[in-house]
Amino acid sequence: ARAVIAESPFYPEGGGQVGDAGTLRDAAGRWRFIVEDTRRIGPVVVHLGRSEGSAPVGRRVVAEVDVTRRDRTRKHHTATHLMHKALKEVLGEHVGQQGSYVGPDRLRFDFTHPRAVTSEEIEKIERIVNERVFENAAVKTTVEELDAAKARGVVAMFGEKYDAKVRVLDVGGWSLELCGGTHVRAAGDIGPFVITLERAISAGVRRIEAVTGPAAVEEIQRQRRLITGTARLLKTAPEEIESRIEALQAQVKEAKKKGATSSAGGISAALETVTSGLKIAHGISFGVFDLPDLDQKSLRDLADKLKGSVPTLALSLFGREGERAPHVHVVQNLPAAAKLGAGELAKLAVASVGGGGGGKPDLAQGQGTDPAAVGAAIAALSAAIEQGIARL
């Protein structure tokens, strides 16, 4: 629904700032309009929202702006002007606005810059803005001639159209910009200023998001909870988190190195065990082996080595991985008369050890869920392979 009143205290969306919200009502209490957004359509300020009751067309109404929402929004708006100036000081005068959002929840500012903003630069921008907040300079607005305002260095916003008479926002003589939005009375009203995000949105254009006032306090407390929670998990003091993580990374790296060495040694020992234990009949090397020290990956690596060294092969390998029993099967260069494939061997293994499995005629694998049944699986597979070879 839409509502229009002759004179409205509601700020319509513009210049990146969201429109005001609030209520309209008649004095008799027979009508209420919940204003969810305010926009300007041509010269008319239009209130968008929900109507309750019979609209008092042509009669007086009471307009009430959501002051909490307005206050949070104007803190973010004045902070946007201060941040724009700080960006120019830290990154260079090439910084230009490419779009913005100013609402009660946060501010967003898109600007021209050829590279990512470093963490050191972000801290410096935050520090400069907060220094201006602490100085608590008065925020003044004046109406001036457009050309005269530009001549004295007042910054015009990207993409905005201005009349001959313009509104100038002056924060302590440091930040001078053209703006028609709502703002705080003094810089100190902004409260703490915290940058929450910096990223690229297109080639040569970056985006910064920040929060002020109550939203900034909430962000600071959220970050503190993360830090204290991380320190608790790491069993260290907050100031020692970085060194603790570095130490854990070194331990993981060393463990991976040892694991790789151990795995390689385990595969070598298993290769010798299998090679020496293979049976031969009709020129075919065959066997079923339980190798509890090997996981699924190690079994596959071992199978690859055997495929490359034994030309005609019928083989099943079982290992262990936590509470599971991985298995790998190889059938290579067997005559068709054997009627034996790796996929069939995998399915036969699954019948004993559970889980799932399957694959191609020459190579198949699976993950058993019942390691205690590996013995039964070995007996079944040994019988199947021997029966296949007996057919030749």
Side-chain angles (χ1 to χ4, degrees):
R2 299 181 180 184
V4 176
I5 56 179
E7 295 177 344
S8 175
F10 286 74
Y11 177 80
E13 178 182 329
Q17 179 176 333
V18 300
D20 275 334
T23 58
L24 303 173
R25 58 181 174 83
D26 67 343
R30 290 188 295 268
W31 175 76
R32 188 172 71 144
F33 188 91
I34 309 301
V35 180
E36 297 170 343
D37 193 10
T38 308
R39 298 180 186 176
R40 185 181 296 278
I41 301 177
V44 179
V45 174
V46 179
H47 310 84
L48 308 176
R50 308 188 313 274
S51 182
E52 300 174 355
S54 178
V57 178
R59 298 198 300 274
R60 289 183 178 276
V61 298
V62 178
E64 297 177 333
V65 175
D66 183 338
V67 293
T68 300
R69 186 175 188 273
R70 162 81 72 85
D71 185 57
R72 286 194 172 206
T73 300
R74 65 183 183 178
K75 290 178 190 296
H76 284 134
H77 202 164
T78 307
T80 301
H81 286 249
L82 295 179
M83 186 177 71
H84 189 186
K85 178 67 174 178
L87 284 166
K88 287 180 176 291
E89 284 197 357
V90 175
L91 304 180
E93 288 297 321
H94 64 276
V95 168
Q97 181 181 347
Q98 296 296 304
S100 68
Y101 163 86
V102 178
D105 55 334
R106 71 189 190 285
L107 68 88
R108 184 183 70 227
F109 191 78
D110 301 337
F111 60 97
T112 51
H113 191 55
R115 57 175 175 78
V117 183
T118 67
S119 57
E120 290 79 9
E121 289 169 335
I122 287 175
E123 287 184 3
K124 190 172 183 180
I125 293 163
E126 275 186 336
R127 186 165 56 251
I128 289 172
V129 172
N130 280 300
E131 285 172 354
R132 296 297 170 177
V133 170
F134 299 151
E135 289 172 1
N136 197 28
V139 177
K140 301 177 181 178
T141 59
T142 55
V143 177
E144 306 177 18
E145 296 288 341
L146 176 60
D147 292 340
K150 287 183 176 179
R152 73 183 185 95
V154 177
V155 177
M157 294 295 99
F158 171 81
E160 293 293 317
K161 294 180 180 180
Y162 298 98
D163 297 328
K165 291 278 190 178
V166 292
R167 184 167 178 259
V168 177
L169 184 80
D170 180 344
V171 185
W174 182 70
S175 172
L176 295 168
E177 294 186 0
L178 302 181
C179 186
T182 61
H183 291 275
V184 297
R185 292 180 295 273
D189 295 343
I190 293 171
F193 170 84
V194 177
I195 293 174
T196 58
L197 176 147
E198 191 282 331
R199 65 180 179 88
I201 58 171
S202 64
V205 179
R206 311 293 302 181
R207 169 169 292 174
I208 274 187
E209 292 189 4
V211 288
T212 67
V217 173
E218 292 165 8
E219 175 63 17
I220 292 168
Q221 291 176 334
R222 185 188 70 84
Q223 292 181 8
R224 185 169 60 197
R225 286 195 300 270
L226 287 173
I227 291 171
T228 55
T230 302
R232 184 172 60 253
L233 290 173
L234 293 174
K235 298 180 180 179
T236 189
E239 61 272 16
E240 296 175 357
I241 287 176
E242 188 173 354
S243 59
R244 177 63 175 152
I245 290 175
E246 288 175 349
L248 288 172
Q249 288 176 328
Q251 290 176 19
V252 170
K253 186 177 180 180
E254 182 63 25
K256 285 183 177 179
K257 187 186 297 183
K258 289 181 178 178
T261 302
S262 175
S263 177
I267 292 173
S268 296
L271 179 61
E272 184 176 344
T273 297
V274 173
T275 302
S276 61
L278 284 172
K279 300 176 183 178
I280 300 176
H282 300 288
I284 301 168
S285 299
F286 65 96
V288 181
F289 298 87
D290 186 14
L291 306 166
D293 293 333
L294 300 189
D295 58 14
Q296 184 91 57
K297 182 180 181 305
S298 297
L299 290 178
R300 288 197 303 266
D301 291 343
L302 176 58
D304 287 340
K305 291 180 180 295
L306 289 164
K307 285 175 66 178
S309 61
V310 182
T312 308
L313 185 64
L315 176 71
S316 289
L317 305 173
F318 287 85
R320 300 294 187 279
E321 197 167 341
E323 298 300 317
R324 293 183 174 270
H327 46 97
V328 173
H329 313 271
V330 177
V331 175
Q332 179 172 263
N333 297 327
L334 259 67
K339 297 181 181 180
L340 196 63
E344 286 76 14
L345 294 178
K347 291 177 182 178
L348 189 58
V350 168
S352 294
V353 296
K360 298 179 180 180
D362 62 330
L363 180 65
Q365 63 183 7
Q367 275 278 10
T369 56
D370 185 7
V374 167
I378 288 175
L381 287 166
S382 297
I385 292 174
E386 290 174 0
Q387 287 173 10
I389 294 174
R391 296 189 185 101
L392 302 178

